[in-house]
């Protein structure tokens, strides 16, 4: 029963991470549109798009934290694991345990960020604080705080699932073009 509960929780976490990543991609596309409109408005009308600076700041935070959990899920989080890869060849059990410790520390860090950010979201929700230039362009703070809390909370859950499931070693990524037979020096 515990195994099926963990599998169900993993499916939910994976689905949320993938959906969050997709939403982050939509924000990237919206940012591209905003920047293009701003450039065209500056060039053609000699007037910048009002609030483009604030929208870029807003968007970057949304992109990072919406895509964070999926990056963790697929083991693409930037980190130096060269030592772990070398250690895995000599002492696989030690490397696996080190990965679990690193994932546990990462889960704690993400959980702390979520724990600190969620009350800030609640405060911003009730006070309706905003950033930007009053009278020119403003955006509320609460969506940023909500996305940070959601992204770090989901990332914490993904890291915890990796620790519990004892994911030993993510597959090393090899680009398909490196496997072709006509590549000079390819060992086949």
């Amino acid at each position: 029963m515990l195994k099926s509960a963990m599998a169900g929780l993993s499916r939910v976490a994976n689905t949320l991470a993938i959906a969050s990543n997709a939403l982050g991609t939509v924000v990237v596309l919206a940012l591209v549109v905003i920047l293009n409109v701003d450039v065209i408005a500056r060039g053609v009308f000699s007037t910048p798009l009002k609030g483009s600076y604030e929208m870029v700041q807003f968007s970057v935070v949304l992109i990072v934290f919406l895509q964070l959990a999926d990056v963790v899920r697929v083991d693409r989080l930037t980190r130096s694991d060269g030592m772990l890869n070398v250690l895995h060849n000599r002492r696989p059990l030690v490397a696996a345990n080190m990965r679990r410790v690193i994932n546990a520390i990462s889960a704690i860090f993400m959980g702390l960020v979520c724990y600190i950010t969620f009350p800030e979201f609640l405060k911003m929700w009730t006070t309706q604080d905003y950033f930007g230039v009053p009278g020119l362009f403003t955006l509320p703070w609460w969506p940023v705080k909500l996305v940070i809390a959601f992204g770090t909370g989901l990332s914490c859950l993904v890291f915890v699932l990796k620790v519990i499931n004892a994911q030993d070693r993510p597959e090393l990524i090899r680009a398909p073009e490196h496997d072709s037979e006509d590549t000079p020096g390819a060992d086949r």
Side-chain angles (χ1 to χ4, degrees):
M1 184 167 121
L2 182 61
K3 194 171 188 174
S4 65
M6 289 302 297
L9 185 59
S10 291
R11 271 193 307 278
V12 169
N14 289 342
T15 302
L16 284 173
I18 291 167
S20 179
N21 188 4
L23 185 58
T25 302
V26 170
V27 175
V28 169
L29 295 174
L31 182 60
V32 168
V33 170
I34 290 167
L35 291 175
N36 283 318
V37 168
D38 185 50
V39 168
I40 291 169
R42 287 175 191 263
V44 174
F45 305 113
S46 297
T47 303
L49 178 66
K50 291 183 183 192
S52 60
Y53 179 72
E54 289 83 359
M55 287 186 274
V56 168
Q57 285 181 313
F58 193 81
S59 299
V60 169
V61 175
L62 292 179
I63 292 164
V64 168
F65 287 97
L66 283 172
Q67 295 186 332
L68 180 62
D70 197 46
V71 169
V72 170
R73 182 186 69 87
V74 296
D75 291 316
R76 297 291 186 130
L77 192 63
T78 303
R79 67 181 183 190
S80 176
D81 56 359
M83 179 191 77
L84 288 175
N85 290 335
V86 170
L87 188 60
H88 179 78
N89 294 332
R90 295 184 182 163
R91 300 201 185 261
L93 188 60
V94 172
N97 287 329
M98 285 181 71
R99 283 186 197 283
R100 289 180 83 179
V101 168
I102 290 168
N103 287 336
I105 292 169
S106 299
I108 291 168
F109 177 74
M110 292 295 169
L112 287 173
V113 173
C114 180
Y115 177 77
I116 290 169
T117 307
F118 189 73
E120 291 178 8
F121 155 70
L122 294 175
K123 179 184 172 194
M124 298 299 167
W125 178 265
T126 58
T127 62
Q128 293 296 312
D129 284 350
Y130 58 87
F131 70 99
V133 180
L136 183 62
F137 187 85
T138 58
L139 288 169
W141 269 113
W142 69 264
V144 170
K145 299 296 184 177
L146 177 63
V147 167
I148 293 171
F150 172 77
T152 55
L154 187 55
S155 297
C156 175
L157 177 61
V158 172
F159 275 124
V160 167
L161 289 170
K162 284 177 178 254
V163 171
I164 291 171
N165 293 333
Q167 181 181 0
D168 180 28
R169 183 175 191 212
E171 291 298 316
L172 296 176
I173 292 134
R174 183 160 176 85
E177 63 266 14
H178 295 287
D179 292 333
S180 73
E181 293 180 22
D182 54 271
T183 304
D187 296 329
R188 302 266 306 158

